[in-house]
Amino acid sequence: METAAGHAASAIHNVELVRELREEATVRARQALHDDVTDLPNSRGLAETLQRPLFSGSRLAVLTIRIDSLREVNETLGRAMGDELLQQAASRLSPLTEAGWCAKTATDEFTIVVRGGYDEAQGMAEQVIQAFDAPVQCADVALAITAGIGIVLAPDHGRETEILLRRASLAASRSRVEGTKVTTWAADRDPYDPQRLAIAADLRDAIPAGELQVHFQPQVDIESGLVTGAEALVRWRHPRLGELRPDQFIAAAEYTGAIDALTEHVLSVAAHTCAGWREQGWDLDVSVNLSARNLANVTFADMVESILDETGLDPAALTLELTESSIMTEAEGAMNTLAAIHDLGVSLSIDDFGTGYSSLAHLRKLPVSEIKIDKSFVFDLTTSHSDEAIVRSMVDLGHHLGLTVVVEGVETVEVRRRLAEMGADRIQGYLLSRPMPVTAFEQWIADRPVRMAELSTSEAETSAADRIADRER
Ligand code: C2E
Ligand code: CA
Ligand code: CA
């Protein structure tokens, strides 16, 4: 009897234990597929939901919404407030699509999936922007939600949730960097793209193998017509893929870190070539493009200095070009490097001027001596009133700040004439010449008026006279 009761009791106990274990397993399973804060599916949960439609080849648009304001809220108002912000964002987003198709895919990211292609994606992006229009009320504070949206399309951009999410997230980051609200993923801008990765791997050997070349595109003083210098532009003769343009490999070089070696190579060739020109009496300058990553490298200015030493190039003949965005993004370390470069006597130019968001106040603080107005404003200069007005005001602005104004992308005589009227200082573009290898550049220049080192003969005489005087002393 006792044993029977004992058995019964332990049987009941076992049943309870099993039930408890089952419940715990269900909770765990749910946790594994859900986000704690918002109770939405997480990326694994979303992957399960999407498995079947993706497998069957359904057209889906995946939108990743990066909440840019989260970090600030966490840092200034605390984590609890950040969580509240996310919960409220979740409750605005999840009604926009089918149940289970809105997920929280990273700390500061939501992902919404809709059926359809590009148009449906754009429509959903509009709805998301509207949903975040009004601020959310957390405790007593009204918080604005700012977000960048990245879009990928299945099956065009991928057939696996993991790849789709990674690409949508990358596109969302681009939105933030570029200040656009919505960005669609594009293979040619993705540093993780397989083709890019292959290129990135090859790039490491390209420099020692001598596959990187430097072409030169002339710059001319618009008033006198004298050639004043050239921009050095890198080219890659890839053994399998043929000649690659920088747009096809610079991003990969930045991503892998090969950009330091690349910049050093271009700089060294450019400085060496320019020093040679100057020895011939041509008073030419050379400009070299930098990447944001170069500025983050603490030894960068030392590298520039040693190249100047090796080649004997006058630092005043060298200009380093940086885009506005690269100066802005790496803000802290970048400022030190810029100052160190400036101290060497090397000039700095802001490339693609007008395409970034640098404020005038910020520009004034930089040791910059030149702006290069971006070619996108220049192509339609003579037909578009707004482009004409923009370029005119950039020329005035540059001069107002005491900067030299260079205009790139000059393709026609009319554009050159208009720029001359506006008072731009120097031009560069296909009207003069495309970028060319150094030998072609030197032939090109042979038939043209070149700025000459005016005092070279008398300087030579003086130094000869000095030497004689020194000997006689
Ligand atoms: P960028 O610095 O804006 O260089 C000017 C680009 O515009 C060059 O393209 C040049 O060939 C092109 N271009 C010049 N004049 C005209 C014109 O009249 N019409 C048109 N349609 N295009 C013109 P490229 O050589 O393909 O270089 C593309 C970009 O790659 C450069 O833009 C620069 O940002 C980057 N890059 C080039 N060389 C280097 C380098 O050595 N290092 C780094 N970090 N970036 C480089
Ligand atoms: Ca440039
Ligand atoms: Ca440019």
Side-chain angles (χ1 to χ4, degrees), residues 204-222:
R204 240 172 289 133
D205 305 323
I207 301 173
E211 290 163 15
L212 289 192
Q213 295 173 342
V214 181
H215 285 191
F216 294 89
Q217 187 178 32
Q219 285 186 3
V220 160
D221 179 275
I222 200 163

Side-chain angles (χ1 to χ4, degrees), residues 385-415:
H385 284 303
S386 58
D387 283 354
E388 135 115 63
I390 291 168
V391 172
R392 189 180 291 281
S393 63
M394 288 193 290
V395 172
D396 291 345
L397 172 69
H399 285 161
H400 190 71
L401 294 173
L403 307 173
T404 303
V405 178
V406 182
V407 183
E408 65 177 19
V410 179
E411 295 186 349
T412 65
V413 193
E414 295 80 63
V415 168

Side-chain angles (χ1 to χ4, degrees), residues 69-83:
S69 43
L70 178 69
R71 197 170 131 199
E72 211 182 306
V73 171
N74 276 341
E75 279 170 6
T76 53
L77 302 169
R79 277 302 275 264
M81 202 70 126
D83 287 355

